[in-house]
Amino acid sequence: MAVDAIPLRVAAAAGVALNATVKYNPHLWGPDELRSIFVVRTRELQGLLDRLRATPDARVPQHVLVTGSRGMGKTTLLRRLALAVEDDADLAQRWVPVTFPEEQYTVSTLAELWRNVLDALADTRERQGASTDELARLDGEIRRIGELPADAQDSAALEGLADWMRSNGRRLLLLIDSTDLLLSNLAGAAEPGAPKAAKGKKAGPGVRAAKVDGGATPLWRLRGTLAHDPGIFWLGASYQSLEADHAYQDAFWDFFELVELRPLQVAEMRQAMLALARTFGAGRGLTGADAEREMARNLDARPERLKALRAITGGNPRTTVMLYELFAAGGADDVHSDLRRLLDTMTPLYKARMEALSNQARKLLAHLMEHWAPISARDLGLVSGIATNTVSGQLGRLEAEGLVEKAALAGTKRAGYQASERLFNVWYLMRYASRRLRQRLTWLVEFMRLWYSGDELTALARHRASQHGQGRLCRGEQLEFSRALSFALPDGDADHYRLDWAVFRAARRAPDRTRSDLGELFELDGEDREYATADDYLPRFEALDARLAQCPHLTEDTRGTWIAAVKSSLSLTLQEKEHIADAAKALTEPEYRHRLSALQDERERWEQDYGGAAADAVRDAVLSGDFFPDCPDSKLAHTQIIRCFGEDFRAIALASDLFARHHRDAWLEMVVRRALDLDPQVASLWNNLGLLLSKQPGRADEAEAAYRRAAEVDPKDAGPWNNLGRLLSEQPGRGDEAEAAYRRAAELDPKNVQSWYNLGLLLSEQPGRADEAEAAYRRAAEIDPKGAGPWSNLGHLLSQQPGRADEAEAAYRRAAEFDPKDADPWFNLGFLLSRQPGRADEAEAACRRAAELDPSDLYPVVNLARLLAAQGRHSEASTAYRQAVALAQAADEQGAGTETPPVNLGFGHAHLLLQAHLWLGNRDLALYALDRLTQAAAAGDRDAFSRLKEQARECQDIGLGSSLKDLMGAGTWADFLQPFALALGAAAADDPADALAGAPPELRTLAEEILAELR
């Protein structure tokens, strides 16, 4: 294998003691090691050997330049070529391979170059066993040339080389690494006595270079020597061709034949790994053929690891050698420290690679590596602030240098760009990533995703979670590695959540830990804020034990049962458990036994609904502090359920029921769908999914499908039919289907209160079906005699029927009796009484009671204001109207920020604000409210149109009819409001019919309808 490498010392595979300096520096490899390890550049090696054999002795050879990005094996290829020439008797008779240090920093003149060649020749001949006389002559020639004037040394050195070749009948094969650097040095220094070179113009295809005095510059004189001397074969190496835009380009334009070293492919990577194992050992103390067989066995067992190695290294041989230890060691836990040490050692190489780039190219490469995944030229331009056409040109150059490669953009067929050597990218992220945790660990996460298979990641995550749970691997860097490992697992994976939680619990157990320490592992104010919730919840939960243990009626045998019963309760919130704990010390024995019995009853109910195994699993998770049944954070609740209950769909179903009591969002939906994936034949899950979807805008069809699937899975369950009826009742034109669903629910469960209640509500909104609605409400009240809802709605139904006000009042009062904290019956009662002569005081008392029970509800306040206004209590009415304005504005602002606003945000509370501002004399505000309400009505909102009629009637009742009529004529929607204005004017006229007689028929009909309601 051809490898350029640098010294490194990393942890060896278990049982293998390696000389890392030798392993990672090919200059120190002996001939046998070099022959053994050189396996993947054999085609290029054979081609060069064939060229040497085919070059006649008297002919000037075609000089060669081996190109390839750094680490592609140029140096090792040159060294292996030298060894191959010496091993071949025929070639060794004709050629002497002369090698040099990789970079000849001291050479800046041709004289120094040719003297270095003589020095290297002497070293080579000494190594080859030349005679003492020959070596003495070479050393003497070198000293003689050094004593000559500077301008005479060049020709003298060349003559010395020519003499040696004539005397020995052999030619020189100059193996000059970093040829580009050497020529650049020669171009940058004028030799003593030589005139300054004329600056040449850039030459290209079809363009003749500017004429330059060939004897005036070192580069042209060097070209002249190489072009005419058959005794010298220059076989150099460079990271790029010499046609790049440098000062020496004119002299060597199209001079060398190029041999490009490309990245290794997977098959070549396999050859390389086997060669490394054979040479340096593998496994536990295996060497030679045994090590090679062990490596072959590992590669065959995990072929995906070889592809991962290819992806990480980008096929770079040098990086392959660097990663050999990690590969040979397998999936050990210490890969974190080994990798960090490896990357630290790579820093000089990678920094030099970055610093060699122009400012613009370096900036683009940095942005590209920060992105990690493939990125388009356009997006890279946006990120960097550089024009796209400039970006494209720079990317082309970076691609030519082997630093970037094309790769498919995610989700498209288009190609983007990424760093070709992923380990280089990993190094960059390690060195320069953001301090934020996820960005800080990106380098490690991405390495693990490349390095480990999915099964390996899972196995390692489970192992580390177990270790953390046992109090092991709890140092900061070990916990950080586990967090990176969890990030490498797929989102939503149970093992991802289990490992994260294990890290969290381990970090909390650390002595003297602080919230800041935890913040080093979790972004408590960012993407991991749910763990801040957990960090607040757990201390409160853990503190329950000591307080519960203070109950005076406990024995050693019962203490644990009592504490576990309270802490593991699924129905109680943490706050309720704290109340029980606080009261435990003062509990009487009957109170203690009653509480314990109630907790046992709760336990049996959950077991009856979900099965004993599922209920036990959830209770155990609650008791251990791993699952919060009243979790304040929905994301945390989701992760806890997936982590704790994995594939147990019944436990997930129970947990999701608890989840739904506190949250109804996308996190709950993911939990429910996960349970359905595990078992789609659970009706309650489909029903819960329907409930969740029904609350989300635009998802009614999905909710309906979920309810119907629940009814299909369990045909005897009334719940899905009742919920389906409620969903359909909210959709225009589907009243009949809703009624059928309610009746189906009532048929399946005749004692289901909700079915009859909902049926009554549906029928009450349909003309001519008041009797059926009343029967449904009375049936609901019969099933649940103390239920307030049916009585309240029955009161509303009866209040709209002539002559049944007394029955309506009785129904409202019964509802208020059954639910003393509900404001609605009192509000409705106040409205009813306000319509009855002589009952203003009772109406006022009812309104005030409703406002007292629900201070945020503005409707009782508006009703009270209107009642006071009708009685001429102007000051009190104004106070109430001002309060109503404040409540309406607060309600509109709050409603605008919710997913399910309490009122139609098309007009909000504009109808109430219209009346209030009109009473308070705020004409402009009243006009704004009227325009808003009218705009909604004109757009087809039937509720808004009904509210316009309502306001016309109520304003007329409190003496504001004329003011409202004038306002309607002044607004933007005056034409639309003409029927209302006509009706208000007619109501104030001595002869209403005469007032409407002149109106157009299309206006008069609606005006007459409105007028009828005003009377």
Side-chain angles (χ1 to χ4, degrees), residues 7-26:
L8 171 70
R9 187 172 294 279
V10 297
V16 181
L18 302 176
N19 186 332
T21 302
V22 172
K23 177 190 293 187
Y24 297 116
N25 198 326

Side-chain angles (χ1 to χ4, degrees), residues 101-122:
E102 186 169 348
E103 287 90 12
Q104 299 188 68
Y105 295 111
T106 62
V107 174
S108 61
T109 68
L110 282 178
E112 291 169 346
L113 171 63
W114 297 125
R115 283 170 56 197
N116 269 19
V117 172
L118 277 170
D119 275 332
L121 175 60

Side-chain angles (χ1 to χ4, degrees), residues 756-770:
W756 290 106
Y757 175 86
N758 289 338
L759 179 61
L761 184 62
L762 176 70
L763 296 173
S764 70
E765 296 173 349
Q766 298 180 16
R769 305 193 71 179

Side-chain angles (χ1 to χ4, degrees), residues 328-393:
D333 279 356
D334 62 357
V335 68
H336 183 198
S337 56
D338 284 353
L339 178 61
R340 186 182 290 276
R341 195 156 49 241
L342 169 65
L343 292 172
D344 283 342
T345 307
M346 298 290 281
T347 292
L349 171 69
Y350 287 151
K351 280 192 70 176
R353 190 178 292 181
M354 292 292 289
E355 291 167 359
L357 298 172
S358 67
N359 289 339
Q360 196 172 70
R362 184 165 54 245
K363 178 179 182 179
L364 289 172
L365 183 59
H367 281 300
L368 182 141
M369 291 198 288
E370 287 168 1
H371 191 266
W372 176 263
I375 184 173
S376 68
R378 177 180 177 276
D379 289 343
L380 189 56
L382 293 174
V383 171
S384 63
I386 299 174
T388 302
N389 58 344
T390 303
V391 169
S392 297

Side-chain angles (χ1 to χ4, degrees), residues 414-433:
R414 296 182 295 111
Y417 293 86
Q418 65 180 18
S420 54
E421 185 184 327
R422 306 312 278 156
L423 190 66
F424 184 21
N425 206 146
V426 167
W427 169 84
Y428 181 86
L429 292 173
M430 184 194 77
R431 296 274 301 183
Y432 301 109

Side-chain angles (χ1 to χ4, degrees), residues 12 138 165 181 275 363 397 406 499-500 510 537 718 746 791 958 987-988:
L138 284 171
M165 288 187 282
L181 176 63
K363 178 179 182 179
R397 283 185 280 276
K406 289 188 174 72
L499 182 54
D500 259 359
Y537 189 104
W791 286 109
I958 59 176

Side-chain angles (χ1 to χ4, degrees), residues 274-289:
L274 293 176
L276 284 165
R278 181 174 60 250
T279 306
F280 296 115
R284 297 186 176 275
L286 298 177
T287 59

